[in-house]
Amino acid sequence: MSDQLPLLTYRLSTRPTPLQASTPETATQGRVNLTVTADRNDVYCDWIQIAVPGDGQSGGAYFTEGPTFSTDSDQWALGSMVQVSGQHIGLASDALFYRAIFRYAGDDSLPIDGTVHFGLSGPLSATTGTLDYHLTEHSDTSSDPEDYTARRQVLPLPVTPPVFYLHTFLARDGASADAPKTRFAAGSGVYLSWESNGSDFRLYDGDGRIVYNGPDTYYSLAPGSLTMDTTFTLEGSMASGGGGGGDDFEPVYQYATLTLTVPDPTLGALTVRGNVDAQSALEVHGDTSLKSSLSVQGSAEVGNALTVSGTAQARSSLTVNGNLSARSNVDVGAGLDVAGTLNANGTLNANDTLRAYGPVEAVSSDHYVRIRELRGPYGEKLSINSNVDVLPECDVTIQEHLYVTKDIKINNYGVLSDRDQIGLYNNHYGGYLYASMFVTDNRRTPAVWVPGDRVTESYWRISRD
C-alpha cells in the first residue's frame, strides 16, 4: 500500500455538525457526505474506497450498524457494503470496518472532471472522541491503468457528547414522498416527521390539542383532519417525567413549529370586512353575513341565511336555503333559487329566471310589483284566490275570452252577460215591458204593463246570435 496522498481533493460535511454520540434512549443518526473534486486536469482514477469503524476496537467513535452508502453521480457505480477487518484496508488492527467501493463508469481515457458526492448515514455509538473516515483512491497522472497506485488518506471527524436537538420539522404527502410541502387540499392525509435525539414528543394542533404523544419521530394526520390553515407545535424532551423522583425536577423542552396552508378550507365561521370574491364555487352550510359586497364568479350555495350589506353579484347560480336579505342591489346573471323568504330593501335585478318557493311580497303601500307577463307554471291557466283591484286611469285589456264564475260589477252594479234574465222598466210610461198575448201578422207586440206589477211575460233573456 502506497503512503502517497490522493491526487483528488476531498471535503467532508456532516449532520449534525459536529457528529453527536447516541444516548441510551435514542440512537443518533449521523450522516457524512464526501465532496470529491479534481483541482488539476491530469488525474485518472478508476475507484475510490470508503471505510468507517464498526466497533470500539478502533479506539474512537463508530457506527453500531452498517451505514447506507450513496452517490449523486451516474458515472460512479456503488458496490455492496461489506464488513471487513482493518487489515483489508491497510491497517494492522483487527477492528471491524464497514467498507464500500465506488467504481468509475465513465470514459477512463479522459481525466476526472467535475464534482461528485458520496454519502453514508447510520446510527452512531454512544462513544465520543474521533471517528476516522478512511478513504483510498486508485489513481495516477497517467491514463495507463498499469500505473495506477492506491493512495490512502484518513480524515478524522469529531464526535461530541449528545446535545439535545430538535429540528427538520417537515410535512409530506406520505412516508415515501421525497419533497416536503406546506400546501395541502382540505381533508388530505399529511405525514409529519422531525429529527431529534429526544425520548418523548408531543404534537399540538392550532387549538392547543395534543394530537400525538410518544417516542416516534413521525406522525400521520388522518385524512379529513386537516380542514383549514393550521400551525402545528412540536414539543420534544429527553425526559418523559416518569422517573417518580422529587417534585423539583423539570425536563428540558425543545420546540419547533410548522404551518400548513389549505387553499380550500372548511371553516366553522367566516367574518369578512371587505369584498368576498370567489372565482369558483362557494358553499356555505351555516349563516353568512357580509358587511360589504359579495361577488361570486361561479356558483354559490348557502345552507342557511345570507345577509349582504352591500351589493351581491353572482355570475352563475345563487342558492340560498334560508332567508336572503340584501341591503342594496342583488344582480344575478343566471338562475336564483330561494327556498325561504327573499327580502331586498334595495333594487332586485334578475337577468334570468327568478324563482321563489316562499312568498314574494311588496308590503309597503307605495311599492308595487310590476309584471309584464303573468302565467302559471309551464304556461297553464293562472288562478288567483284573492281580489284584484285596478288602479284609476289603468286599463285592463282582454285579448280573448273572459270567464267569470260570478258577477262582474261596475260601481257595484252587475254587468249583463249572455243568458242573463232581466226585466225592462220604462221610466217614461212607468211600467214593465212585456210580450202581449195578441198576435199581429204572426208577430207578438211588446207592450208596457202600466200598473207596474211584474208578470211572467215581462222577463227577457239576453242571448248572442
Side-chain angles (χ1 to χ4, degrees):
M1 178 73 67
S2 172
D3 292 333
Q4 300 182 56
L5 292 176
L7 299 176
L8 299 172
T9 300
Y10 299 89
R11 296 188 302 275
L12 292 177
S13 59
T14 66
R15 189 181 67 189
T17 302
L19 294 174
Q20 295 185 21
S22 297
T23 65
E25 296 85 4
T26 306
T28 298
Q29 294 291 319
R31 181 169 187 85
V32 183
N33 284 349
L34 177 67
T35 301
V36 183
T37 57
D39 293 338
R40 45 192 293 178
N41 57 8
D42 61 346
V43 179
Y44 298 84
C45 177
D46 59 355
W47 56 263
I48 295 174
Q49 173 184 279
I50 296 173
V52 290
D55 62 17
Q57 295 187 50
S58 61
Y62 58 92
F63 285 90
T64 59
E65 297 178 8
T68 301
F69 290 85
S70 60
T71 180
D72 67 343
S73 174
D74 57 0
Q75 293 188 333
W76 290 84
L78 169 61
S80 60
M81 186 273 297
V82 295
Q83 294 180 337
V84 297
S85 67
Q87 297 176 358
H88 287 81
I89 60 173
L91 302 177
S93 170
D94 290 332
L96 176 66
F97 285 83
Y98 297 107
R99 185 193 71 182
I101 298 177
F102 295 87
R103 299 188 181 277
Y104 185 60
D107 189 350
D108 56 5
S109 65
L110 299 176
I112 299 297
D113 188 21
T115 301
V116 64
H117 298 90
F118 303 133
L120 64 91
S121 62
L124 291 170
S125 65
T127 304
T128 60
T130 300
L131 186 147
D132 289 334
Y133 187 98
H134 297 258
L135 64 89
T136 304
E137 167 193 296
H138 194 234
S139 64
D140 197 72
T141 57
S142 169
S143 61
D144 187 356
E146 297 293 334
D147 297 332
Y148 286 8
T149 300
R151 306 168 189 272
R152 180 184 173 198
Q153 186 176 6
V154 179
L155 301 176
L157 292 171
V159 178
T160 64
V163 176
F164 182 27
Y165 64 87
L166 175 65
H167 55 67
T168 320
F169 187 20
L170 301 174
R172 295 180 173 86
D173 287 321
S176 60
D178 294 330
K181 56 187 293 188
T182 58
R183 284 175 63 91
F184 294 87
S188 299
V190 182
Y191 180 80
L192 301 173
S193 63
W194 54 92
E195 293 185 6
S196 176
N197 59 353
S199 60
D200 187 71
F201 304 96
R202 283 189 287 192
L203 181 66
Y204 299 87
D205 64 9
D207 294 324
R209 293 188 297 262
I210 297 177
V211 297
Y212 171 73
N213 186 2
D216 295 331
T217 56
Y218 60 87
Y219 179 72
S220 293
L221 297 176
S225 59
L226 182 66
T227 59
M228 65 183 70
D229 294 356
T230 304
T231 298
F232 291 92
T233 301
L234 177 64
E235 177 189 85
S237 172
M238 295 191 73
S240 61
D247 296 334
D248 296 334
F249 176 78
E250 293 184 2
V252 174
Y253 296 104
Q254 292 272 13
Y255 293 91
T257 59
L258 177 63
T259 299
L260 303 182
T261 59
V262 178
D264 54 340
T266 302
L267 304 179
L270 176 64
T271 300
V272 180
R273 300 300 180 191
N275 293 344
V276 175
D277 191 354
Q279 301 300 320
S280 89
L282 174 63
E283 183 175 348
V284 182
H285 295 282
D287 290 343
T288 302
S289 179
L290 304 179
K291 305 303 182 183
S292 184
S293 300
L294 170 66
S295 178
V296 182
Q297 300 297 326
S299 61
E301 180 177 355
V302 181
N304 209 331
L306 172 63
T307 301
V308 182
S309 298
T311 300
Q313 294 182 342
R315 302 305 179 198
S316 183
S317 62
L318 172 62
T319 301
V320 181
N321 294 325
N323 291 338
L324 172 61
S325 178
R327 308 302 180 193
S328 184
N329 294 346
V330 177
D331 295 323
V332 180
L336 173 64
D337 294 330
V338 180
T341 302
L342 172 62
N343 296 320
N345 294 331
T347 302
L348 175 63
N349 296 322
N351 298 325
D352 203 329
T353 303
L354 173 64
R355 297 187 180 95
Y357 297 98
V360 177
E361 300 178 357
V363 297
S364 178
S365 60
D366 57 349
H367 286 77
Y368 310 101
V369 176
R370 292 180 171 87
I371 302 174
R372 187 177 67 87
E373 183 178 7
L374 184 62
R375 293 184 181 180
Y378 308 104
E380 69 266 18
K381 293 180 180 180
L382 180 66
S383 298
I384 300 176
N385 60 357
S386 182
N387 296 328
V388 176
D389 293 330
V390 180
L391 298 178
E393 300 181 359
C394 292
D395 297 332
V396 176
T397 301
I398 307 299
Q399 298 296 333
E400 295 184 4
H401 303 289
L402 173 64
Y403 298 97
V404 181
T405 57
K406 294 184 179 181
D407 295 336
I408 297 179
K409 294 183 178 181
I410 298 179
N411 295 327
N412 292 326
Y413 290 98
V415 178
L416 299 178
S417 63
D418 189 20
R419 297 183 183 278
D420 281 349
Q421 288 189 353
I422 61 172
L424 299 178
Y425 185 80
N426 188 283
N427 288 330
H428 182 73
Y429 293 107
Y432 285 94
L433 182 67
Y434 78 103
S436 69
M437 59 183 297
F438 304 103
V439 177
T440 303
D441 282 340
N442 295 326
R443 299 174 184 175
R444 295 191 184 279
T445 302
V448 175
W449 187 259
V450 176
D453 294 337
R454 298 294 298 275
V455 296
T456 303
E457 292 83 356
S458 67
Y459 289 95
W460 303 85
R461 191 187 72 179
I462 297 176
S463 64
R464 298 178 183 274
D465 292 336

